[in-house]
Amino acid sequence: MRSEDKALFRAIRGKSVERPPFWLMRQAGRYLPEYREIRGKVAHFLELCFTPELAMEVTLQPIRRFGMDAAILFSDILVVPWGLTQNVAFKEGEGPVLDPIRDVAGLASLTLDGFLERLQPVYTATKMIKEELPLQTSFIGFAGAPWTVATYMVEGGSSRGFENTQRWANTDPAGFQKLMDILVEATVLHLDAQIRSGVEIVQIFDSWAGVLKDRDFAQWIIAPTVRIVKALRAKHPTVPIIGFPRGAGAQYLGYAQETGVDVLSLDQDLPLSFARDVLQPVAAVQGNLDPVILAAGGSALKTRTEEIITAFRGGRFIFNLGHGILPHTPPENVALLGQLLERAGRG
Ligand code: CP3
């Protein structure tokens, strides 16, 4: 089937669809026993990402079980710093741990030479997955946005206050810009290689966009994203780009207008009325069920799913969560969500 005839593309282009197409951020992961089984076979999380057979298997697991309209490549946003030769490890119960880079002198330890070669297993996995996917299923690739990836590189892992990143960006903006320049270039290389290996759509995850406001938002969120979108469009004009400036609130509008992304991935904090009246006319929207409600299930899930569908079904719309699936989510709730969307199609 041609990409443009698949449900996800039809929804993005504003063509009629039988029911809202859906996929879920982090649809492959720990809430699935079959994922935990594969995860248990490797010592380190990155081994999953860099062993094409395993990355393929976990990418396909949720599709087999629930029949989502799109598969997302199983990988992580932190393979980009790894490809730039920064040390990246995932510690049990602790999340990612990186050797932090806190100033312009630290950038000397990074290199773009050999970047695509180091990440070749990801592109091999991409090619293998493309061969195995059901014909009607769209294939999504992704990368973290420069700001979000920079927070992990500078803090040395997950963070709450982003103090080191904020300090660098505010006290030495020209030096911090050099890190952002490296990340823009690496992100374009990485997404271009995924597209050449078979992904049909790409999503840019800016999970920590909401930390920044006004001039900082323009400089570190919008500007780098504009450069990535321009470079990808020059090479792949018909590949849809999904932007996810999580937590950006009212700044979602300027982000959509200035970056020109095809789809806005909406977090669960955005009111439906604002999203429908202000954002949906500017771009297709994707979202925005609260992952907590998916984990809760039952009538709360049914009610909220119906509210979201009712708000967005008049326009370009892909059903998704406002952020990734929580690890304690019962898989039955994902099956129920699939049934609710199926029913929405029947009337
Ligand atoms: O199914 C999918 O969505 C595809 C795979 C995917 C993963 N990470 C796998 C993963 C995707 C799209 C991501 C994106 C990602 N990774 C983001 C952006 C989206 C978001 O959640 O905000 C971020 C910030 C990361 C960085 C990251 N990776 C952290 C902070 C952690 C540790 C916390 C956690 O959830 O465990 C990871 C690990 C990770 N990435 C896991 C998975 C399935 C869990 C690790 C494990 O199974 O041991």
Side-chain angles (χ1 to χ4, degrees):
M1 195 188 259
R2 286 166 56 232
S3 299
E4 294 287 338
D5 295 330
K6 299 182 186 183
L8 219 72
F9 275 77
R10 294 186 60 85
I12 293 170
R13 308 290 192 214
K15 296 186 178 151
S16 65
V17 282
E18 273 176 42
R19 56 167 179 82
F22 85 112
W23 68 281
L24 303 174
M25 287 189 265
R26 294 283 189 104
Q27 65 191 18
R30 284 168 299 195
Y31 76 106
L32 288 177
E34 58 270 37
Y35 172 85
R36 293 197 301 270
E37 195 191 323
I38 303 276
R39 178 71 181 81
K41 291 184 182 164
V42 296
H44 304 288
F45 169 71
L46 283 177
E47 265 184 78
L48 266 192
C49 300
F50 294 141
T51 310
E53 290 74 18
L54 299 182
M56 172 172 85
E57 172 57 23
V58 293
T59 299
L60 296 173
Q61 284 173 344
I63 309 301
R64 285 189 202 116
R65 221 194 230 253
F66 308 113
M68 283 92 173
D69 296 286
I72 180 162
L73 170 67
F74 189 85
S75 184
D76 197 84
I77 66 167
L78 299 181
V79 303
V80 164
W82 189 90
L84 292 168
T85 72
Q86 189 171 16
N87 276 324
V88 180
F90 286 82
K91 301 253 156 84
E92 215 53 60
E94 221 183 300
V97 181
L98 298 83
D99 290 344
I101 294 174
R102 300 243 159 112
D103 52 31
V104 88
L107 296 179
S109 67
L110 303 177
T111 178
L112 276 155
D113 291 344
F115 176 82
L116 289 175
E117 288 75 13
R118 282 188 289 281
L119 293 184
Q120 187 53 47
V122 176
Y123 314 127
T124 302
T126 304
K127 289 196 184 110
M128 289 167 56
I129 295 163
K130 183 62 178 269
E131 294 289 307
E132 291 295 318
L133 273 182
L135 294 179
Q136 73 279 10
T137 311
S138 296
F139 190 15
I140 301 174
F142 72 94
W147 165 256
T148 288
V149 175
T151 66
Y152 291 92
M153 296 175 77
V154 175
E155 302 298 332
S158 299
S159 166
R160 281 180 192 211
F162 306 99
E163 281 178 40
N164 297 295
T165 321
Q166 290 274 31
R167 185 186 315 117
W168 186 2
N170 284 289
T171 60
D172 175 24
F176 189 71
Q177 182 66 55
K178 292 203 168 77
L179 171 57
M180 298 298 266
D181 290 345
I182 294 170
L183 286 171
V184 166
E185 198 175 333
T187 305
V188 171
L189 285 172
H190 188 45
L191 291 175
D192 172 54
Q194 290 177 47
I195 295 166
R196 286 187 286 108
S197 306
V199 308
E200 303 166 287
I201 299 172
V202 294
Q203 174 150 337
I204 302 170
F205 285 89
D206 220 341
S207 304
W208 303 114
V211 171
L212 300 178
K213 300 289 174 288
D214 301 315
R215 186 172 42 81
D216 293 331
F217 189 85
Q219 191 170 8
W220 307 127
I221 304 298
I222 291 179
T225 306
V226 166
R227 290 168 64 193
I228 294 167
V229 169
K230 279 203 176 126
L232 291 176
R233 288 260 165 82
K235 291 177 203 256
H236 309 286
T238 62
V239 170
I241 301 173
I242 308 174
F244 183 38
R246 190 170 75 89
Q251 301 183 116
Y252 259 95
L253 178 60
Y255 175 94
Q257 290 168 327
E258 292 183 44
T259 64
V261 292
D262 300 274
V263 184
L264 281 176
S265 194
L266 311 177
D267 64 62
Q268 64 268 20
D269 294 341
L270 286 170
L272 295 181
S273 56
F274 172 78
R276 182 196 55 216
D277 298 343
V278 178
L279 302 178
Q280 201 179 21
V282 180
V285 295
Q286 164 178 288
N288 71 341
L289 181 72
D290 191 331
V292 170
I293 295 184
L294 180 62
S299 62
L301 173 59
K302 186 164 180 288
T303 305
R304 188 60 184 166
T305 298
E306 282 164 5
E307 284 168 1
I308 292 170
I309 294 172
T310 305
F312 293 131
R313 78 176 318 164
R316 294 171 287 171
F317 172 51
I318 298 163
F319 193 94
N320 204 318
L321 298 173
H323 198 195
I325 294 191
L326 296 166
H328 62 273
T329 303
E332 309 83 85
N333 294 5
V334 178
L336 171 62
L337 176 63
Q339 288 158 17
L340 292 170
L341 290 163
E342 211 48 69
R343 236 175 276 163
R346 288 203 298 268

